[in-house]
Amino acid sequence: MKIAPRLRPMSIGDMFDAAFRLYRQHFLTFVGVVALLQLPMAIVQFLLQYVVGRQATLEVLRFSQRSTIFSPGSPPTLSAFPFNAFLTFYAITIGLAVFQALIVQSLLTGALANAIARSYLGQPVSILGSYQLGLRRYAALVASSLLLFLLGATTIGLFAGCSAAGIVALGSTLSGPRASVAAGVLGLLAVLAMIVLLIPVVLFFFIRFILTTQAIVLEGRGPLAGLGRSWRLIGTSFWRALLVFVLVLVLSYIISLIPSLLVTFGLGLFGGGAAAQLRNQAIASFVSQLGLILGLPLLFSIYTLLYYDLRVRKEGYDLELMAESAELGTEH
């Protein structure tokens, strides 16, 4: 096994520098790993949203441009609301998002973790070779994503249920002509409080499980074991991992989101109706997908190097590899 001399404890600056260096050295391979799954996904998304669901998307855009669904002087009615269009539009949008998060993202990041780890340790790496993880690891990656999704949904559900119960309890104590207004204000405050409390809770669990993919792919662990391994690796390094996450988030905005927003803003200056908006959305979506393909390898390189950094700091992983290398040398 070829041991990379840079396998050592790193500062956050060293970590980002090493990630950029890996990204430059293996640019085509890393981008190819992402593009192999993301390009077909982008084509499917385009076909569903802008070809199959074109009419539904157009109706949703036209409705969003109207100031009211009621005609002046006529009694309130919901007959003008395009229920079928909204149902089709959000079914496609949510369905694509869930499939992307649970299936595509799991397999893609698993292959990326494999490619980045092999390149970091000085081993040969290829696009197709990065996806040769085995069925068990693929299943574990998807299962861990599903478990995290269920954990997040349960957490949000608990917070929402507590907020709803609080709103009902407060509303039952109110009386008088302005009770409905007061109940509405209290309900809004309860929702805001739920969001403020929910964000740190979700962030805490996200950081704790941020290295699950690496644990499953690089150590061959199952979904629950991978989650537990990530939890233990982060351990007392939570704040350091949080800082890395914040910096990666800023970097992702620079690489992916800002160009998409600038393109959307520039196209919006030309105005136009729903058809023009649909065209603009398609172009902005393309720019966003391009940013994802180019940026995800760099961002995931940082997380993978964080994984190795924590293993070196807490487990002496560099010494373990040196010992294995010495044993192999003795055998030969």
Side-chain angles (χ1 to χ4, degrees):
M1 178 183 294
K2 181 181 178 182
I3 307 299
R6 57 184 177 274
L7 191 62
R8 56 182 174 78
M10 294 179 288
S11 66
I12 292 179
D14 291 337
M15 199 180 303
F16 275 71
D17 180 66
F20 275 99
R21 185 165 56 248
L22 282 176
Y23 183 72
R24 289 194 303 269
Q25 291 173 352
H26 304 278
F27 174 79
L28 292 178
T29 301
F30 287 175
V31 170
V33 169
V34 180
L36 189 63
L37 281 187
Q38 197 59 42
L39 276 180
M41 184 65 190
I43 293 172
V44 170
Q45 178 181 343
F46 176 83
L47 291 176
L48 288 177
Q49 289 187 325
Y50 304 112
V51 179
V52 177
R54 174 183 174 82
Q55 188 58 39
T57 305
L58 281 172
E59 290 186 31
V60 170
L61 290 173
R62 291 192 186 103
F63 180 81
S64 65
Q65 292 176 340
R66 300 172 60 180
S67 59
T68 177
I69 64 173
F70 306 127
S71 301
S74 64
T77 177
L78 293 177
S79 60
F81 188 84
F83 285 104
N84 291 335
F86 268 80
L87 182 62
T88 302
F89 176 79
Y90 283 106
I92 292 175
T93 302
I94 296 174
L96 285 171
V98 171
F99 184 77
Q100 170 79 25
L102 294 182
I103 306 298
V104 176
Q105 199 75 5
S106 298
L107 304 183
L108 194 155
T109 53
L112 261 184
N114 187 26
I116 294 164
R118 292 180 65 86
S119 63
Y120 183 59
L121 296 177
Q123 300 172 1
V125 58
S126 65
I127 295 175
L128 294 179
S130 300
Y131 279 93
Q132 294 176 357
L133 302 176
L135 182 60
R136 192 178 74 85
R137 290 187 187 179
Y138 283 137
L141 287 168
V142 174
S144 65
S145 297
L146 182 59
L147 288 172
L148 289 175
F149 175 80
L150 294 176
L151 176 62
T154 301
T155 303
I156 294 173
L158 288 174
F159 272 83
C162 291
S163 298
I167 293 172
V168 172
L170 288 173
S172 63
T173 63
L174 299 174
S175 60
R178 297 186 177 180
S180 59
V181 176
V185 173
L186 289 174
L188 177 61
L189 292 176
V191 171
L192 292 176
M194 180 196 75
I195 294 174
V196 170
L197 294 174
L198 183 62
I199 290 175
V201 172
V202 171
L203 189 59
F204 171 79
F205 283 106
F206 179 83
I207 297 299
R208 284 289 185 176
F209 295 132
I210 203 170
L211 301 179
T212 301
T213 297
Q214 286 78 6
I216 291 174
V217 172
L218 305 180
E219 300 182 23
R221 297 177 182 264
L224 287 175
L227 292 169
R229 174 63 166 158
S230 177
W231 185 284
R232 292 189 299 273
L233 268 180
I234 295 297
T236 56
S237 302
F238 175 84
W239 295 108
R240 190 165 184 268
L242 177 62
L243 178 57
V244 171
F245 166 73
V246 171
L247 293 175
V248 167
L249 186 64
V250 172
L251 190 59
S252 68
Y253 276 117
I254 295 174
I255 295 175
S256 181
L257 185 60
I258 291 180
S260 178
L261 291 176
L262 289 176
V263 169
T264 302
F265 176 75
L267 292 173
L269 295 177
F270 295 98
Q277 286 191 25
L278 185 64
R279 178 204 63 209
N280 296 346
Q281 280 190 5
I283 296 174
S285 177
F286 170 78
V287 174
S288 178
Q289 292 289 342
L290 181 62
L292 177 65
I293 292 173
L294 294 177
L296 187 60
L298 176 60
L299 307 180
F300 212 71
S301 294
I302 298 170
Y303 289 139
T304 303
L305 294 184
L306 174 63
Y307 162 82
Y308 279 116
D309 176 68
L310 292 177
R311 289 202 65 182
V312 169
R313 289 175 182 272
K314 298 183 177 185
E315 303 172 350
Y317 184 61
D318 53 338
L319 301 178
E320 178 184 330
L321 287 181
M322 289 175 63
E324 291 179 1
S325 179
E327 290 179 3
L328 289 175
T330 303
E331 293 176 0
H332 291 295

